[in-house]
Amino acid sequence: MNKMLNIGHRGAKGFEPENTLISFQTALDLNADGVEFDVHVCKSGELIVIHDFTVDRTTNGTGAVSDLTLSELKKLRINGSIEIPTLEEVLLLFNKKHFLNIELKGTHTAKLVCDCIEKNVQEDGFAYSNFIVSSFQRDELESVANYNAKIPLGILTQASVEQALEWAEEFSATAIHPHFSLLTTENVALALQKGYQIYTWTVNEFEDIQRVKEFGINGIITDFSDRI
Ligand code: G3P
Ligand code: CA
């Protein structure tokens, strides 16, 4: 098995405002192998890196991401001075040594993200294996599987490893991404035996990190990349 990957959750959420360029750079400075982040489509059609469906919690603005244009979103500030990044801006921080887990949080993100990955593979020196696209949303997963089967797909679950394995088979996914509390010796062995990679989240406490490492999984998504 390859090395277990240290993946910074929303960048380095334990240290910097989530899903920002400074958060992603900090994760790399803490020796993360890559990062996980969330994408939505805004009103003018660009892919925006933000967790929630609205800007209310993380910025000085209000409203749904899907009701705001890129130029309106760019006027908002996170923690007083930081802009919301686009997917394109985020990808500029990384290269073919890194692992990028793009979570399709918003609806209608699948095809746009696939197109962006395809461009990075064809023109910018990335391999498909630099990426994994994950989602809890069945429609988005199905859309990636149908649109570009070369892009590694990860099935997110907070509820059931068994259901994630069913969807993984249905959509020819590469991986399952279960919440760490769902992992057992038996379901990890079953998933690995079926040939799926396992990326678990969001593992922050030392005791939990030690426990999940012993399962022999492929990667840990954490707010604290310095702890892995
Ligand atoms: O991808 C794992 C994790 O990020 C899923 O939950 O709410 O942090 O996006 P959330
Ligand atoms: Ca996420």
Side-chain angles (χ1 to χ4, degrees):
M1 175 173 158
N2 294 330
K3 165 187 181 240
M4 192 205 69
L5 297 180
N6 171 345
I7 304 162
H9 180 235
R10 308 185 203 171
K13 184 171 176 286
F15 296 88
E16 296 289 349
E18 67 187 56
N19 285 330
T20 59
L21 297 183
I22 181 72
S23 186
F24 299 128
Q25 184 57 56
T26 300
L28 294 183
D29 294 345
L30 296 173
N31 288 325
D33 296 294
V35 295
E36 182 271 355
F37 54 86
D38 311 280
V39 295
H40 290 260
V41 186
C42 70
K43 190 177 179 186
S44 48
E46 294 83 359
L47 284 162
I48 303 301
V49 177
I50 187 168
H51 180 273
D52 297 359
F53 284 76
T54 75
V55 298
D56 300 27
R57 178 178 62 86
T58 54
T59 78
N60 59 351
T62 55
V65 176
S66 59
D67 287 340
L68 295 162
T69 63
L70 180 60
S71 99
E72 289 167 333
L73 287 162
K74 281 294 188 183
K75 290 187 186 117
L76 304 180
R77 290 293 176 266
I78 299 165
N79 257 24
S81 61
I82 305 173
E83 284 183 14
I84 304 173
T86 62
L87 176 60
E88 284 189 7
E89 288 166 343
V90 168
L91 293 183
L92 289 175
L93 289 178
F94 299 98
N95 61 46
K96 63 184 178 186
K97 288 185 303 196
H98 299 127
F99 183 75
L100 298 166
N101 176 190
I102 305 178
E103 182 186 342
L104 308 180
K105 190 68 92 181
T107 53
H108 308 302
T109 43
K111 289 183 181 175
L112 290 168
V113 168
C114 288
D115 288 344
C116 181
I117 290 174
E118 190 64 31
K119 179 184 167 293
N120 275 266
V121 169
Q122 299 305 330
E123 299 173 20
D124 299 327
F126 286 87
Y128 292 111
S129 57
N130 288 117
F131 296 95
I132 192 157
V133 173
S134 63
S135 190
F136 291 102
Q137 295 191 61
R138 189 180 163 85
D139 287 353
E140 300 304 318
L141 292 165
E142 186 171 20
S143 194
V144 173
N146 290 337
Y147 191 63
N148 190 339
K150 293 186 201 144
I151 294 175
L153 194 57
I155 312 295
L156 268 162
T157 182
Q158 189 153 21
S160 163
V161 167
E162 289 66 33
Q163 198 221 23
L165 288 172
E166 279 174 27
W167 286 18
E169 191 171 341
E170 185 175 351
F171 300 130
S172 302
T174 305
I176 59 167
H177 295 219
H179 186 266
F180 73 91
S181 63
L182 299 176
L183 296 178
T184 65
T185 308
E186 292 73 25
N187 62 27
V188 166
L190 179 64
L192 295 176
Q193 182 249 319
K194 285 175 177 280
Y196 298 111
Q197 296 170 4
I198 304 174
Y199 298 96
T200 194
W201 51 281
T202 301
V203 198
N204 289 335
E205 304 305 324
F206 288 107
E207 196 178 301
D208 296 323
I209 290 167
Q210 189 52 38
R211 188 173 70 84
V212 301
K213 274 184 175 176
E214 285 167 12
F215 284 125
I217 57 171
N218 302 85
I220 295 180
I221 298 168
T222 180
D223 294 339
F224 298 94
S225 282
D226 56 327
R227 297 182 184 176
I228 303 298

